[in-house]
Amino acid sequence: MTPEPDKRNTWQAWAELLRLPNLPSAPGDALAGAALGALSAPASPSASPAAIVAAAFAALLLYAGGLADNDIADAEKDRVSAPFRPLPSGRISPAAARAARAALFLAAFASGLAAHLPRAWFFAAAATVGMILLYNRTKDAFPKTGCLLMGLCRGGSFLAGAAAVLPSPGDGLAGVLFAAAAGWTAYVASLTALALREEDASAPLGPVRHLGALAALLPAIAFCAWGGGIAWRSAAIAAGSLAAAAAWLAAVRPLGRAHGPDARRRAVGKTIGALLFLQAGFVLAAGDLFPAALLAACFAARLLVRRRLPALTGS
């Protein structure tokens, strides 16, 4: 008789493939973008709860699909460098991973269709998928370009969230949207650079490890320079950016001395988690309880995963 598969091990394998600790940070990009869009045009007919939920859920699905695609693209390399990963270890078959990738990407666009999101959202989401696929296939040959592409994936998610509620930005908003997205891009590019060759981490990192903290401040600077909204809104965004910057600095502080792969992975996981502070600044500034509740749920989910599955890393 063929032994029945261990369902617990199967769920563990999928949690590893989809980097479960990182997933709760993905919807917040779209929520932050939607919040900035709503701040500029509170009467926009597109800014409905259904549109916000669809944009956030689609961001989660696109991110998860990208993570599945990452392991598919890296399957041969992982057989040597990371044989414990779900695909090289045989705990998930290549066919199952490809099916999951397709289902996740298709479900993201189905969410947009179901919520009747504007055409601009589909363009932004399609561009994000393109950057995901390009990143996963070029990051090893062109590491620096790969860091930028990963940053653009998350920056694209931010812009997609804005497009979901504001298909036609005006009054200078396009400039602040792209400037804020540039901050997102720089932050995520910095943490991706931090994760480069983390399996070989040993030597101390220099002052360059602090660049992510500076990137965390760019979205707040863009918003304040634009002058969009009353003072407390600017304060909320500034507080979120400062909290993300402080969390980054705390996360990378141990990397200033000799360290191993585990220390580097922990630092990367913490800097990804710090995105929630950056996202919270924009969501709270919008003054809408609904997206704030969604982001709070993401934050709680991340804490729960880290507490219940401490051995599960986000890289």
Side-chain angles (χ1 to χ4, degrees):
M1 291 180 62
T2 302
E4 189 174 329
D6 188 329
K7 292 182 178 179
R8 184 179 60 184
N9 288 341
T10 300
W11 281 109
Q12 174 82 11
W14 282 105
E16 291 177 25
L17 183 79
L18 300 179
R19 278 78 161 179
L20 190 58
N22 293 354
L23 288 182
S25 73
D29 296 333
L31 288 172
L36 184 53
L39 275 172
S40 65
S44 171
S46 302
S48 66
I52 293 171
V53 169
F57 185 52
L60 175 66
L61 293 170
L62 291 177
Y63 186 70
L67 292 173
D69 182 67
N70 181 77
D71 273 33
I72 292 168
D74 286 352
E76 291 304 317
K77 183 188 76 170
D78 285 347
R79 292 185 194 283
V80 176
S81 61
F84 54 87
R85 292 293 301 162
L87 289 181
S89 67
R91 289 176 293 150
I92 294 177
S93 70
R98 287 192 293 269
R101 174 186 60 187
L104 289 163
F105 283 153
L106 288 173
F109 287 96
S111 299
L113 287 171
H116 305 289
L117 295 184
R119 186 178 300 176
W121 178 85
F122 287 93
F123 285 134
T128 300
V129 171
M131 288 184 288
I132 288 170
L133 297 176
L134 185 60
Y135 165 77
N136 286 334
R137 283 151 186 80
T138 62
K139 63 182 187 297
D140 293 328
F142 307 101
K144 293 181 180 179
T145 302
C147 293
L148 176 60
L149 283 169
M150 175 54 76
L152 287 170
C153 290
R154 299 295 290 258
S157 185
F158 177 90
L159 289 176
V165 303
L166 191 70
S168 300
D171 297 328
L173 178 63
V176 75
L177 277 173
F178 282 102
W184 245 259
T185 298
Y187 184 93
V188 176
S190 297
L191 71 85
T192 306
L194 199 65
L196 287 177
R197 296 181 295 276
E198 65 183 14
E199 66 275 6
D200 300 322
S202 59
L205 297 181
V208 70
R209 72 185 188 277
H210 297 134
L211 288 179
L214 295 176
L217 302 177
L218 292 180
I221 293 171
F223 181 81
C224 294
W226 174 57
I230 57 177
W232 73 265
R233 298 188 191 280
S234 297
I237 291 174
S241 294
L242 287 170
W248 177 287
L249 293 174
V252 302
R253 183 179 179 183
L255 306 185
R257 54 182 179 271
H259 60 278
D262 288 341
R264 185 75 64 87
R265 292 189 186 101
R266 284 193 296 271
V268 171
K270 289 176 182 178
T271 57
I272 292 173
L275 265 172
L276 288 165
F277 296 115
L278 190 60
Q279 296 158 353
F282 282 88
V283 171
L284 293 175
D288 189 337
L289 290 178
F290 181 69
L294 288 179
L295 189 63
C298 292
F299 186 76
R302 178 175 172 80
L303 290 178
L304 180 63
V305 169
R306 290 175 65 86
R307 176 169 295 185
R308 297 295 298 270
L309 299 169
L312 194 62
T313 65
S315 59

